[in-house]
Amino acid sequence: EPEVTQTPSHQVTQMGQEVILRCVPISNHLYFYWYRQILGQKVEFLVSFYNNEISEKSEIFDDQFSVERPDGSNFTLKIRSTKLEDSAMYFCASSPGARNEQFFGPGTRLTVL
Amino acid sequence: AQKVTQAQTEISVVEKEDVTLDCVYETRDTTYYLFWYKQPPSGELVFLIRRNSFDEQNEISGRYSWNFQKSTSSFNFTITASQVVDSAVYFCALSEAGSGYSTLTFGKGTMLLVSP
C-alpha cells in the first residue's frame, strides 16, 4: 500500500540554523500539506500546496518557513532560522484531491537546542 | 472559539467496554467534511473516516461506529468491545469549503487508555 514517507525521523539542530525536512508524498496525489504538533498538543496546519504553489497557509507559516517541490517526488519544508519554539513533530500529508482524506507520513521530530 | 472541540481529554476503560469519544464542531459553511484520525503511541496519524456535511447516515466499520448529527454539530465515535490496541490519541478534524477544503482543523484530541 502506498504511503507518505518523511526523512529524517529525528533532526536535532542549534537555534538559528536552517533545517530542511523532506517528504515523499503518495505518487498520484496532487495536494500536499505540512502540519506540526508540539509535544502533547493538537496538530496544527501550516501550509497546503497544489499545482506548484501555496494554496493556503496559517499564521504560523511566517517568512521563516518555505516549501518547495524541487522535483516530481519530493516536497520539502525549510525553516530558515530555527527558534526554540519550532521544536515539534512535523507531519507531511498528501491527498488525491482537495476534498479527500489526507494521508500522513510518520513525522519528523525536530529538536531545536 | 475552537472550531473543533473534544471535551474529553482522557478516557480510561477496561478491555471489552464500549467507549464513545465526543466531537463538537463549529462552522459557517454549509459544505464541509469531518474526519477522525488515530495517533497510536508510535506517533503516526492514521486516517479512520471522512464524512461530508450532506451525509448524516451513521457508519459502522467493524467495532467502530460514527454518529453524525448536524442538529447538534456533533460527530461522535464509538468503539465497541474495546481492546488494548485501541489505546491511542484520537483526533476529530474539520475541513471547510471556505478554505478550499485544504486545511484540516484538528481538535485537541482524546487520549484513550484501554487496560487489560
Side-chain angles (χ1 to χ4, degrees):
Chain A
E1 188 174 325
E3 57 184 21
V4 178
T5 60
Q6 291 185 244
T7 54
S9 57
H10 191 188
Q11 174 98 40
V12 181
T13 190
Q14 296 290 327
M15 192 169 57
Q17 295 295 306
E18 174 183 288
V19 295
I20 297 177
L21 310 183
R22 301 178 193 281
C23 168
V24 178
I26 295 173
S27 64
N28 61 345
H29 286 187
L30 301 176
Y31 291 78
F32 315 115
Y33 314 85
W34 283 101
Y35 291 81
R36 79 170 186 192
Q37 184 181 31
I38 294 171
L39 186 63
Q41 297 187 24
K42 69 176 180 180
V43 180
E44 299 174 292
F45 169 77
L46 293 177
V47 66
S48 60
F49 192 85
Y50 169 69
N51 201 25
N52 280 320
E53 60 184 28
I54 291 173
S55 47
E56 291 282 336
K57 61 181 181 178
S58 71
E59 293 175 352
I60 303 168
F61 194 87
D62 61 22
D63 293 343
Q64 293 297 316
F65 291 88
S66 62
V67 289
E68 195 177 34
R69 187 152 163 84
D71 52 42
S73 59
N74 289 285
F75 180 51
T76 62
L77 174 69
K78 182 193 291 186
I79 309 175
R80 286 190 187 79
S81 178
T82 50
K83 308 185 197 82
L84 295 176
E85 54 264 37
D86 293 328
S87 294
M89 181 74 92
Y90 288 81
F91 289 103
C92 174
S94 69
S95 64
R99 303 185 188 207
N100 296 97
E101 55 271 28
Q102 296 177 20
F103 292 91
F104 285 77
T108 293
R109 179 164 297 286
L110 176 65
T111 302
V112 182
L113 302 175
Chain B
Q2 290 188 63
K3 285 194 170 185
V4 180
T5 302
Q6 295 180 256
Q8 304 148 309
T9 305
E10 186 173 319
I11 301 175
S12 292
V13 299
V14 177
E15 221 174 8
K16 297 184 184 174
E17 281 186 33
D18 298 348
V19 57
T20 295
L21 310 181
D22 297 333
C23 173
V24 174
Y25 62 93
E26 182 184 327
T27 180
R28 293 183 179 180
D29 287 333
T30 55
T31 306
Y32 51 89
Y33 288 85
L34 295 162
F35 303 80
W36 277 93
Y37 282 85
K38 174 182 180 180
Q39 187 173 43
S42 48
E44 71 271 27
L45 285 163
V46 179
F47 165 77
L48 295 178
I49 190 172
R50 176 184 68 139
R51 211 84 188 129
N52 77 54
S53 52
F54 297 108
D55 184 1
E56 285 194 73
Q57 202 169 13
N58 291 334
E59 180 151 341
I60 299 174
S61 175
R63 295 184 298 107
Y64 294 170
S65 62
W66 291 269
N67 184 340
F68 176 29
Q69 295 207 354
K70 284 176 79 168
S71 60
T72 55
S73 297
S74 66
F75 185 44
N76 296 337
F77 173 31
T78 297
I79 301 175
T80 304
S82 59
Q83 299 176 1
V84 172
V85 293
D86 296 328
S87 296
V89 180
Y90 291 86
F91 291 98
C92 181
L94 167 72
S95 72
E96 301 165 279
S99 67
Y101 306 105
S102 62
T103 304
L104 274 180
T105 301
F106 284 83
K108 291 186 177 180
T110 297
M111 179 178 287
L112 175 64
L113 299 170
V114 183
S115 53

